[in-house]
Amino acid sequence: MKAPVIQLKSALVGYGHREGVCPIMLPINVSVKEGEFICLIGENGKGKSTVLKSISGEIPYLSGEVLINGKLLPSISASELAEQMSLVLTDRIQIGMITVGELVAFGRYPFTNWLAKMTPLDLQIVHDAMDSCGVLNLKDRYYSNLSDGEKQKVAIARALAQQTPLILLDEPLNHLDLINKAEIFSLLKRLCVDFKKTIVISTHQVELALQAADKIWLINGKHQLIETTPEAAIENHLFEEAFISDKVKFDPLTKTFQLKAI
Amino acid sequence: MNSNALKWGLLIGTLPIFIALNVMFGSITIPFADILSILLGQDSTSLAFETIIWNSRIPRILTAILCGAAISISGLQMQVLFRNPLAGPYILGISSGASLGISLLIMGASFFSITSFVYTSWTLAIASTLGALLVLFIVFVISLKVKDIMTVLIVGIMLGSFTTALIGVMQYFSSADQLKTFIIWTMGSLDAVNYEEISVITLVVTIGILIGVFNIKALNLLLLGEGYAKSMGLNLSKSRLWIILSTGMLAGGITAFCGPIGFIGIVVPHLCRIWFKTANSKVLFPASILMGINFMLLSDFIAHVPNSDIVLPINSVTAILGVPIIFWMVLGQKKISNSI
């Protein structure tokens, strides 16, 4: 049997200090299969980014186990990890005078020689990645001149060019308008279905997540990360528990958040 | 693609022109026929002409070539490493470290009552190298411990300020002659470098540039930011060390023999970015080498005002020549800060 793409066993995530460790939520137990589209949902400051960074190896987890394709995370070298997992980070890429084509081609760098020479196969992969993300027509434009939505699609194309089975995206929908959010969401879903990519994104778009996600990772008010499906989350009133406010409540019928009083 | 070929052609084509200008013109007017016969190894009308060509002009041209390439490449690497358009070869305090070494040699000599001290280019080179190595070593150790690259930048700048303050104290207590010797060193000079020294510079610069070539891939990945670079398998601390090492060798090696050659390290990479309209290091690396050499040869030609005894400080010439070009190019651009 194939090992799960991502597996967290009693993993404690948070930050280490000189005085000791500072976990920010209860131990996490999740398992992700190939081709699954996972949406990580939770309020600001509840630790979505910390979970993703612990899976991507950017920060060390405190205890327990994080396994990528069955291998314990700290034992995977950076170059090995680059072949298994690609990232789309929250921090905007500040880059001037680099074309979309060049930026997407950077995704091939882990596989090129010391001079980063592109083979015809590399160029084909870059071309296909741009095509899949609908940015092929932007190939010769400077990345810095693009709109936010276009930039995000290019960032995803770069991750796709890395040809990793797993892609992590940290709040890829921030600052995007409704149409762009929907386009990115359906693009990611398509990558899961068509290319068997495993994708984990953190997002605040609960409504969209409920329609597209295979699984929801919900961080609730009790600092638990709950692995669930969209249907189960609604049935068990998990969103009502996770988002407690006197201004807004989740309506299970319409699967949307409604203002309580204006 | 065609316009790029033209640009490369221009960069390469101007090289022999500037070299020829530097051979042909200088303080002493040498007839063209004599220059040709000297270069071809035949007899000329005066032995002095031969000495001038072989022992003054040719070494100067070689130094200018090494210097232009080395300083531009170290500037390019620093700008990308720190993601800062104002970074240059001396941002890590190499020049102030070298200056400290020099001022200790020049001004400190009197403290130890060494009155009849001879300043050869070798003692100057050793003093500046030791000073630069000291500062670079501190930056090196800190960059191993510190994760945030901006902290490294601040440490470099602060070390620079600290050594400059030490130099200030020494200057206050030194004589007018010592001050003049020091100030002239800071103006930079491509003269008085002999073949023996050139062979040392050549070795150091060649190794520095070779390391730089190996850094090109890392430089491009760093354009995306450290988070992305790491996610694509780049070992951040290792590549950071190689970049600092290359810069240290290039800027340190030149500074040891020519003094802190200012301006072109910051400016040449920008000129190449604006001209080639790219931030891709694969293009900028060779372009900066060629542009730097051209710039240095032209500056040196102007510094030795043809047919006169005047030799201008090279640092003043590079700035006076470069600033108008920069204004002209930058004002035509919308966002220079966004170009890296």
Side-chain angles (χ1 to χ4, degrees):
Chain A
M1 201 189 109
K2 225 174 154 184
V5 182
I6 307 173
Q7 194 170 20
L8 275 70
K9 292 181 185 167
S10 324
L12 204 56
V13 302
Y15 296 88
H17 290 288
R18 209 166 288 168
E19 301 84 36
V21 292
C22 176
I24 59 163
M25 61 182 80
L26 295 167
I28 303 168
N29 287 292
V30 289
S31 175
V32 181
K33 286 201 298 280
E34 187 184 26
E36 279 188 323
F37 183 32
I38 311 241
C39 290
L40 174 55
I41 294 169
E43 286 177 60
N44 283 330
K46 282 284 189 309
K48 293 192 298 298
S49 287
T50 311
V51 171
L52 288 181
K53 282 177 183 170
S54 301
I55 295 172
S56 72
E58 194 184 331
I59 58 171
Y61 52 91
L62 305 174
S63 67
E65 288 181 0
V66 174
L67 300 125
I68 305 296
N69 292 318
K71 221 173 152 188
L72 208 57
L73 191 57
S75 67
I76 309 175
S77 73
S79 53
E80 205 180 330
L81 203 56
E83 295 176 13
Q84 309 205 350
M85 179 195 308
S86 52
L87 307 180
V88 175
L89 303 171
T90 356
D91 21 321
R92 281 293 142 94
I93 302 172
Q94 300 287 336
I95 197 169
M97 299 215 274
I98 285 288
T99 63
V100 168
E102 285 174 309
L103 198 151
V104 175
F106 285 162
R108 294 307 300 159
Y109 270 37
F111 309 95
T112 57
N113 67 2
W114 62 276
L115 260 178
K117 173 127 185 64
M118 292 279 154
T119 64
L121 177 67
D122 287 321
L123 294 173
Q124 187 61 45
I125 291 168
V126 169
H127 179 276
D128 293 347
M130 287 191 284
D131 199 16
S132 304
C133 297
V135 292
L136 199 53
N137 57 326
L138 307 174
K139 190 163 74 79
D140 296 319
R141 298 251 319 263
Y142 287 125
Y143 173 81
S144 52
N145 294 346
L146 302 180
S147 73
D148 281 346
E150 290 168 331
K151 278 182 179 169
Q152 206 54 264
K153 284 176 204 163
V154 172
I156 294 170
R158 190 216 57 80
L160 199 58
Q162 211 173 323
Q163 285 206 319
T164 56
L166 172 62
I167 306 176
L168 302 186
L169 304 92
D170 196 358
E171 304 206 12
L173 307 177
N174 279 1
H175 310 295
L176 300 186
D177 61 27
L178 186 65
I179 306 283
N180 272 307
K181 276 176 184 157
E183 279 187 11
I184 301 277
F185 237 100
S186 63
L187 165 65
L188 293 173
K189 181 71 184 172
R190 213 175 61 231
L191 295 179
C192 290
V193 175
D194 293 354
F195 299 103
K196 282 272 168 209
K197 298 280 179 195
T198 309
I199 294 183
V200 180
I201 78 167
S202 64
T203 180
H204 292 290
Q205 303 304 312
V206 178
E207 290 96 338
L208 289 171
L210 285 175
Q211 296 171 53
D214 296 310
K215 272 187 193 160
I216 303 274
W217 290 356
L218 184 64
I219 303 176
N220 65 17
K222 295 172 213 151
H223 306 288
Q224 292 168 309
L225 187 146
I226 302 166
E227 183 181 37
T228 173
T229 59
E231 298 75 25
I234 295 169
E235 258 173 50
N236 300 326
H237 304 285
L238 295 178
F239 291 112
E240 289 92 319
E241 285 170 25
F243 297 92
I244 299 162
S245 161
D246 55 356
K247 296 283 182 288
V248 71
K249 73 170 194 322
F250 185 78
D251 177 17
L253 274 180
T254 55
K255 298 180 185 176
T256 55
F257 283 94
Q258 305 280 337
L259 288 174
K260 280 183 179 170
I262 300 172
Chain B
M1 213 52 204
N2 260 337
S3 72
N4 263 3
L6 184 72
K7 287 168 191 170
W8 288 112
L10 261 174
L11 276 181
I12 295 167
T14 45
L15 283 180
I17 299 175
F18 285 139
I19 291 174
L21 280 176
N22 276 291
V23 176
M24 289 191 318
F25 297 100
S27 319
I28 310 270
T29 312
I30 304 175
F32 186 66
D34 277 326
I35 294 176
L36 268 187
S37 48
I38 290 169
L39 289 179
L40 294 172
Q42 297 159 351
D43 289 337
S44 64
T45 50
S46 157
L47 202 63
F49 289 166
E50 277 183 42
T51 315
I52 290 170
I53 296 285
W54 287 116
N55 291 343
S56 168
R57 291 188 189 172
I58 300 283
R60 228 174 56 213
I61 290 167
L62 292 175
T63 313
I65 290 173
L66 289 166
C67 182
I71 296 294
S72 305
I73 288 303
S74 51
L76 172 67
Q77 294 189 83
M78 287 296 101
Q79 286 172 3
V80 178
L81 179 65
F82 293 117
R83 310 296 326 279
N84 188 327
L86 291 177
Y90 302 120
I91 196 89
L92 291 177
I94 292 167
S95 80
S96 44
S99 305
L100 181 68
I102 294 293
S103 55
L104 270 174
L105 178 77
I106 297 172
M107 300 161 205
S110 62
F111 282 120
F112 305 103
S113 37
I114 310 167
T115 42
S116 58
F117 202 87
V118 191
Y119 306 120
T120 67
S121 53
W122 280 110
T123 52
L124 288 172
I126 290 166
S128 78
T129 305
L130 288 178
L133 278 179
L134 176 73
V135 173
L136 202 62
F137 177 74
I138 299 173
V139 175
F140 231 89
V141 170
I142 287 167
S143 76
L144 281 178
K145 307 225 166 193
V146 176
K147 275 212 176 120
D148 185 19
I149 195 71
M150 285 306 144
T151 313
V152 180
L153 181 64
I154 291 168
V155 166
I157 293 172
M158 287 303 118
L159 276 175
S161 299
F162 187 73
T163 45
T164 308
L166 288 180
I167 294 165
V169 172
M170 277 190 281
Q171 282 178 337
Y172 183 77
F173 289 108
S174 53
S175 70
D177 277 352
Q178 292 169 331
L179 265 182
K180 195 182 175 196
T181 313
F182 178 72
I183 297 291
I184 285 177
W185 178 81
T186 62
M187 288 173 173
S189 168
L190 304 182
D191 300 286
V193 180
N194 60 37
Y195 285 110
E196 203 183 336
E197 290 159 358
I198 285 176
S199 57
V200 174
I201 305 178
T202 308
L203 182 71
V204 175
V205 168
T206 309
I207 297 173
I209 288 189
L210 277 180
I211 298 174
V213 172
F214 277 92
N215 289 340
I216 291 178
K217 190 172 171 178
L219 291 174
N220 266 353
L221 284 177
L222 285 171
L223 287 176
L224 293 174
E226 295 197 339
Y228 278 109
K230 203 177 149 198
S231 83
M232 282 185 266
L234 188 75
N235 185 328
L236 285 182
S237 47
K238 213 164 101 185
S239 34
R240 198 189 279 178
L241 284 185
W242 282 113
I243 291 171
I244 293 177
L245 183 68
S246 167
T247 303
M249 290 185 78
L250 293 171
I254 293 299
T255 310
F257 293 96
C258 309
I261 301 295
F263 198 71
I264 66 163
I266 297 178
V267 156
V268 164
H270 284 307
L271 284 178
C272 295
R273 272 186 204 105
I274 294 169
W275 205 34
F276 283 89
K277 294 191 173 54
T278 184
N280 192 334
S281 303
K282 277 189 193 179
V283 176
L284 291 181
F285 199 92
S288 294
I289 290 180
L290 291 172
M291 180 87 83
I293 293 173
N294 274 314
F295 205 108
M296 213 59 213
L297 284 171
L298 178 63
S299 304
D300 193 46
F301 170 67
I302 294 170
H304 292 78
V305 184
N307 303 325
S308 79
D309 283 343
I310 303 166
V311 180
L312 301 171
I314 193 77
N315 277 345
S316 308
V317 177
T318 51
I320 291 169
L321 193 67
V323 169
I325 302 177
I326 286 294
F327 274 3
W328 173 61
M329 290 188 122
V330 166
L331 294 178
Q333 284 278 318
K334 271 177 239 149
K335 270 194 201 158
I336 184 82
S337 62
N338 207 14
S339 65
I340 292 180

